[in-house]
Amino acid sequence: MKTIGIIPARYGSSRFPGKPLANICGKPMIWWVYNTLSQMREISETRVATDDERIFRCVSEFGGKAIMTGECASGTDRVAEACRDLDFDIVLNIQGDEPMVRPELIRKLLSAFDDEYVKMATLRRKIDNEMELRDPNIAKLIINNKEDAIYFSRSEIPYNRENADIIYYKHIGIYGYTRNFLFEFVSWPQSSLEKAECLEQLRVIENGYAIRTVETQFQSIGVDLPEHIKAVEKEMESMIK
């Protein structure tokens, strides 16, 4: 199957304007994501999808490929607009604020499509500290016996009323979609739960479709706020050492 990678990147983040251009160890954040995807043999083409000329220019200057899009309601909508005329079987949606994304993480995601019935897939990781569990910036999820997602929330789920032995999972926000399913997904209106939680993947669940999840041990450090840059740089420096 032919796989392409699309990196949605917008400038106007309310909590961190200009985030994709933030300097991390001497390179713009978007470079780190693009560089990882573009070197993977499993991915035939990588592009940044943006609605901002500054990001488009930055990607072009470091030799990458970018596509200008209009205003989009979500990252998935931006991915769909960017790849509508491209040839592919599976498209990966890798957020531009994941500079620590690694090839092994992406390969984990792609492994979900070994099952011919999977139309959309994402990743999960066990939560190992109370801070992550309580943090509304970190999406949590619960799964069924097929490892398909039942629900995603910014709140702690499930509520452990009887103090049962529960494994809590955080969502690692990268996605894969089959071509036909992607365009079906973005044809649906935003759902009520999606609007309430500000989590676009809930649109899929509300429309009765499954999202396969794959567990990973990899600890990705996403950048939501300016102060997260230091944590990413510290982790990158430790990996070099």
Side-chain angles (χ1 to χ4, degrees), residues 146-205:
K146 293 183 178 179
E147 298 189 273
D148 292 335
I150 298 173
Y151 192 69
F152 296 82
S153 180
R154 296 184 182 279
S155 299
E156 174 187 340
I157 52 173
Y159 176 70
N160 196 355
R161 176 178 174 178
E162 300 296 332
N163 198 29
D165 186 15
I166 293 292
I167 297 175
Y168 290 97
Y169 292 106
K170 66 183 287 186
H171 179 218
I172 306 296
I174 67 175
Y175 302 97
Y177 324 84
T178 60
R179 181 186 181 90
N180 290 340
F181 183 75
L182 171 64
F183 296 123
E184 184 176 5
F185 176 5
V186 298
S187 73
W188 303 324
Q190 284 189 292
S191 67
S192 57
L193 292 175
E194 173 186 6
K195 291 177 181 178
E197 297 262 19
C198 291
L199 296 173
E200 62 187 302
Q201 61 270 34
L202 290 174
R203 194 188 318 175
V204 176
I205 293 174

Side-chain angles (χ1 to χ4, degrees), residues 26 40 57 77 81 88 91 130 143 148 181 185 234:
M40 291 185 63
R57 187 166 56 250
D77 292 291
E81 182 178 335
F88 66 92
V91 60
E130 195 76 11
I143 59 173
D148 292 335
F181 183 75
F185 176 5
K234 183 178 179 181

Side-chain angles (χ1 to χ4, degrees), residues 47-78:
R47 297 197 184 188
V48 172
T50 185
D51 59 357
D52 191 273
E53 288 284 354
R54 289 162 289 191
I55 296 174
F56 185 95
R57 187 166 56 250
C58 172
V59 174
S60 298
E61 287 173 353
F62 66 64
K65 294 180 180 180
I67 298 175
M68 287 294 294
T69 67
E71 292 187 15
C72 298
S74 70
T76 299
D77 292 291
R78 194 177 305 283

